[in-house]
Amino acid sequence: MKENVRFSNLDRSKIIQKLTKTKFDLVIIGGGITGGGIALDAASRGLKVALLEKRDFASGTSSKSTKLIHGGLRYLKQFDFWLVKEVGSERAIVHKLAPHLVLPEKMLLPLIDGGSYGKWLTSIGLKVYDILAQVSGDDKRKMVEKKEALELEPLLPKKKLKGAGYYAEYRTDDARLTIENIKTSLTFGAVALNYAEVTAFDYEEDIISGLHFRDSITGDEFKIKSKYVINAAGPWVDELRSLNNSKKGKRLHLTKGVHLVFPFEKLPVRQSVYFDVPDGRMIFAIPRGKITYVGTTDTNYDQDKDNIKLDLADALYLISAVNNMFPKINLEMDDIISSWAGLRPLIHEEGKSASELSRKDEIFISDSGLISMAGGKLTGYRKMAERVVNLLSKKMEEEEGIKVPECTTDQIPLCGNDFRKYKHVKKYILEIFERIKKDGLTEYDAWYLVTTYGKQTETILQDYSIQKEKDPHVRMAIAELHYGINYEMITSPMDFFIRRTGRLYFDIESIPLLLDRILEEFKSIFKSDDSQILLWKEKIMQEIHEHSIFSIDRV
């Protein structure tokens, strides 16, 4: 396994000094999956790369997707064969890069009377999907009759079920995938900083030569010099284009996607189900550890991008969809234990509804040289990065005579990946369970550690072994926190509970049990005063409140 590269806000002043003293080939604005993918691609080709994120890494769209690395079966209905082929092929590559984090997930597509997909069309569609996505072996699709479909998923509606398509996709934690891409870019010399908001661009002869950023923690302003700048700010791409006075022609069209989280016992599906909603859309029900989550909606959005709320209509829509497809289930509003709402930064097309807009990515280049990347899907992040760095390489060759190597990110394992195949991940989970069960920790705890950190679990267990805390769950959380502070740039309890561990979404009930002890660690490590600790505590309780049923806007 690669050595952990220290990546800590305890070293923030040193990181900022490095940013301000170096002339970079490339500065990337935006620390989501697109920016993280570009950083890894460019740095692995030998470029001097910096990445800035105005909040925490993956705090925008890249922690609020459906968390699937999937081929976009529904894009076949839009005859978007190119997109299906590309993202379908990427699934296997991204799984290989991080098999502990991108997990195989069987998907069931029920065929029902009056549904969107008929048997013949589904069979042909899945066959085309297999061919375009180069699916092989056990992952190939199969059509199953009603009896087998009910054996696979007894919750399906017996009366109107006609059969099902059964095929393979992959599930991930999008925020973890983002941070591992950024961490892997550091092994190639990239420099990255969160809580660093770009406030202005510098120009030489009307061409961008650098930028200014504000440290959101101290309020101090700094300058960075760079030959090129890529704007990968997701929903905020157009704001940066406006800052650059280049918001012309095509623009973003934001749509909101909402997901609801239920205890697994309330929606005990045996595998992921991709099913019809009466209005003709399709949504997912995805089991994950202690919970099952359902999503997503797809509605136009033009409000505050930094504060996206779940509202009553979103919740009712998803609950009624589940209850309609699974007659034995009777979900109610009070069953929601968590939720998330995120934005898709799509390219606007006149006359098209939110669901009809293409998920293709596009690159815009301003007269002053700002390269902006918009659109795209989580699954396609690596190819998006390759495209924009190829474009940059061509510019560098034409303008400076510099020959940049080809992309090799399809061969670069992400941090935490020391596994040749997925079966080795499963074996490692069992091994970790054997090592922690004597303390009263469970198979779920072992599964969670390995599918969150991969072989980086070893570093966490070393810390765990020297902690004096009696409760093993608290002791493990403290060891995780120490790891995140030293190697994953954690700055606040929100970074820890929401994006590094996913507890706010996947294990929300654990947060109140851990909070006081985690805050003590923050106080000790960051030398925070009592007022800061109180502020953080209020903020976490507010996050719990806002992501649970109690926050839903009933007005």
Side-chain angles (χ1 to χ4, degrees):
M1 188 181 80
K2 290 177 188 170
E3 277 292 305
N4 291 312
V5 174
R6 186 169 167 88
F7 187 35
S8 175
N9 262 301
L10 296 171
D11 306 328
R12 193 171 181 87
S13 58
K14 288 182 190 171
I15 296 170
I16 290 174
Q17 188 175 32
K18 197 169 185 180
L19 287 168
T20 56
K21 300 289 184 194
T22 308
K23 182 170 182 182
F24 291 94
D25 296 314
L26 170 64
V27 173
I28 301 153
I29 307 170
I33 191 62
T34 306
I38 295 167
L40 175 54
D41 191 310
S44 64
R45 299 196 205 193
L47 301 186
K48 281 186 186 173
V49 176
L51 181 147
L52 300 177
E53 163 57 47
K54 75 169 185 171
R55 295 185 299 174
D56 186 28
F57 303 121
S59 57
T61 298
S62 296
S63 56
K64 301 183 181 80
S65 72
T66 306
K67 305 179 191 296
L68 290 175
I69 299 294
H70 67 124
L73 180 65
R74 75 186 183 88
Y75 306 123
L76 281 179
K77 288 178 77 176
Q78 299 170 1
F79 301 103
D80 204 338
F81 297 116
W82 175 87
L83 186 62
V84 174
K85 183 176 184 350
E86 179 170 288
V87 296
S89 304
E90 279 297 293
R91 299 173 314 157
I93 294 171
V94 181
H95 170 64
K96 180 187 74 174
L97 301 179
H100 63 289
L101 190 55
V102 179
L103 310 173
E105 180 82 9
K106 285 293 187 183
M107 191 76 67
L108 194 66
L109 195 162
L111 307 176
I112 58 168
D113 282 327
S116 302
Y117 289 87
K119 189 171 184 178
W120 182 82
L121 188 62
T122 301
S123 181
I124 297 294
L126 286 172
K127 180 69 176 173
V128 171
Y129 185 62
D130 278 358
I131 294 166
L132 290 175
Q134 299 169 318
V135 177
S136 60
D138 291 342
D139 283 353
K140 281 191 170 181
R141 70 89 175 91
K142 65 174 183 175
M143 300 302 295
V144 299
E145 298 298 326
K146 177 175 181 173
K147 184 183 174 190
E148 189 179 351
L150 285 167
E151 284 170 2
L152 287 166
E153 187 47 77
L155 295 176
L156 289 172
K158 204 169 185 178
K159 285 182 181 175
K160 56 183 179 178
L161 185 70
K162 298 193 290 186
Y166 197 48
Y167 63 108
E169 296 286 20
Y170 295 89
R171 177 168 54 74
T172 193
D173 179 330
D174 45 7
R176 292 293 320 169
L177 190 62
T178 300
I179 195 73
E180 300 299 9
N181 267 275
I182 293 169
K183 284 161 57 183
T184 308
S185 78
L186 304 182
T187 68
F188 293 95
V191 185
L193 188 67
N194 53 359
Y195 297 101
E197 183 172 5
V198 172
T199 55
F201 294 104
D202 282 331
Y203 303 87
E204 286 179 13
E205 297 179 1
D206 296 326
I207 300 297
I208 288 180
S209 58
L211 50 79
H212 298 238
F213 74 88
R214 180 188 302 113
D215 181 342
S216 302
I217 294 170
T218 64
D220 295 335
E221 298 251 358
F222 301 95
K223 285 172 67 171
I224 303 183
K225 291 181 179 177
S226 182
K227 294 179 188 174
Y228 301 96
V229 176
I230 292 180
N231 168 14
W236 293 269
V237 157
D238 279 354
E239 272 80 347
L240 284 164
R241 291 171 76 203
S242 293
L243 191 65
N244 176 241
N245 297 314
S246 61
K247 188 181 164 187
K248 301 166 189 161
K250 289 191 176 181
R251 59 185 170 85
L252 289 191
H253 183 133
L254 302 180
T255 71
K256 182 173 80 164
V258 165
H259 296 80
L260 303 181
V261 180
F262 302 95
F264 179 74
E265 304 76 50
K266 291 285 184 181
L267 185 52
V269 287
R270 292 184 178 179
Q271 69 275 297
S272 294
V273 184
Y274 183 41
F275 62 93
D276 280 90
V277 183
D279 67 3
R281 291 195 72 253
M282 302 284 291
I283 65 173
F284 295 96
I286 301 172
R288 184 191 184 106
K290 298 177 179 181
I291 59 98
T292 301
Y293 64 93
V294 175
T296 177
T297 58
D298 200 0
T299 52
N300 294 322
Y301 189 83
D302 59 3
Q303 296 166 52
D304 184 357
K305 290 189 280 291
D306 292 306
N307 189 21
I308 309 149
K309 290 281 178 69
L310 168 70
D311 59 40
L312 184 60
D314 298 324
L316 288 174
Y317 176 83
L318 291 172
I319 284 177
S320 65
V322 172
N323 290 340
N324 179 66
M325 179 50 63
F326 304 110
K328 295 173 191 169
I329 298 296
N330 185 25
L331 292 178
E332 297 177 353
M333 297 288 283
D334 290 344
D335 294 324
I336 301 169
I337 53 170
S338 189
S339 66
W340 65 87
L343 300 178
R344 301 176 193 87
L346 308 176
I347 313 298
H348 182 74
E349 294 177 64
E350 273 319 316
K352 286 201 174 182
S353 70
S355 296
E356 290 171 328
L357 288 174
S358 172
R359 265 55 178 173
K360 281 181 184 171
D361 54 276
E362 290 200 38
I363 299 168
F364 312 131
I365 305 175
S366 75
D367 293 341
S368 60
L370 178 66
I371 303 167
S372 298
M373 183 152 226
K377 286 170 55 64
L378 173 66
T379 308
Y381 83 87
R382 197 193 64 83
K383 290 300 286 186
M384 289 168 64
E386 182 180 344
R387 268 193 289 281
V388 77
V389 179
N390 282 348
L391 182 148
L392 185 65
S393 303
K394 192 178 175 187
K395 282 174 75 73
M396 291 181 79
E397 190 167 3
E398 289 171 355
E399 295 169 11
E400 304 172 65
I402 296 170
K403 182 75 175 166
V404 179
E406 297 289 310
C407 173
T408 59
T409 54
D410 60 337
Q411 301 298 322
I412 300 173
L414 298 184
C415 290
N417 174 18
D418 196 24
F419 307 100
R420 288 195 306 280
K421 291 184 177 176
Y422 179 60
K423 68 179 181 182
H424 300 131
V425 176
K426 293 194 280 188
K427 187 179 175 185
Y428 186 56
I429 292 170
L430 293 174
E431 182 192 319
I432 294 297
F433 176 51
E434 286 300 313
R435 288 160 61 183
I436 65 176
K437 70 179 183 182
K438 66 181 185 301
D439 291 344
L441 293 167
T442 65
E443 285 183 72
Y444 170 81
D445 296 314
W447 173 87
Y448 159 77
L449 283 168
V450 175
T451 59
T452 303
Y453 302 102
K455 283 293 179 76
Q456 297 163 141
T457 298
E458 296 298 331
T459 308
I460 292 166
L461 289 180
Q462 283 172 13
D463 192 297
Y464 171 82
S465 69
I466 61 172
Q467 294 297 323
K468 301 289 188 275
E469 190 71 38
K470 286 182 180 177
D471 185 319
H473 290 98
V474 177
R475 199 188 325 161
M476 191 66 80
I478 290 170
E480 281 185 81
L481 177 65
H482 290 168
Y483 178 80
I485 287 173
N486 288 319
Y487 301 110
E488 296 191 342
M489 215 65 176
I490 283 177
T491 308
S492 75
M494 286 68 73
D495 301 342
F496 176 68
F497 284 119
I498 302 172
R499 289 166 290 277
R500 302 301 184 275
T501 67
R503 280 186 171 90
L504 184 69
Y505 306 139
F506 309 129
D507 194 9
I508 195 169
E509 290 162 347
S510 72
I511 298 178
L513 306 176
L514 301 171
L515 183 55
D516 286 342
R517 191 63 188 83
I518 292 295
L519 288 172
E520 281 179 33
E521 287 297 303
F522 268 95
K523 186 173 185 178
S524 169
I525 294 167
F526 286 101
K527 307 291 186 274
S528 308
D529 60 28
D530 289 343
S531 62
Q532 177 64 73
I533 296 299
L534 185 62
L535 203 65
W536 276 337
K537 185 167 187 175
E538 288 172 353
K539 177 63 177 165
I540 279 290
M541 297 313 289
Q542 182 187 346
E543 291 283 355
I544 292 172
H545 178 79
E546 287 187 355
H547 286 81
S548 70
I549 180 66
F550 306 108
S551 69
I552 291 177
D553 182 2
R554 297 172 185 271
V555 177

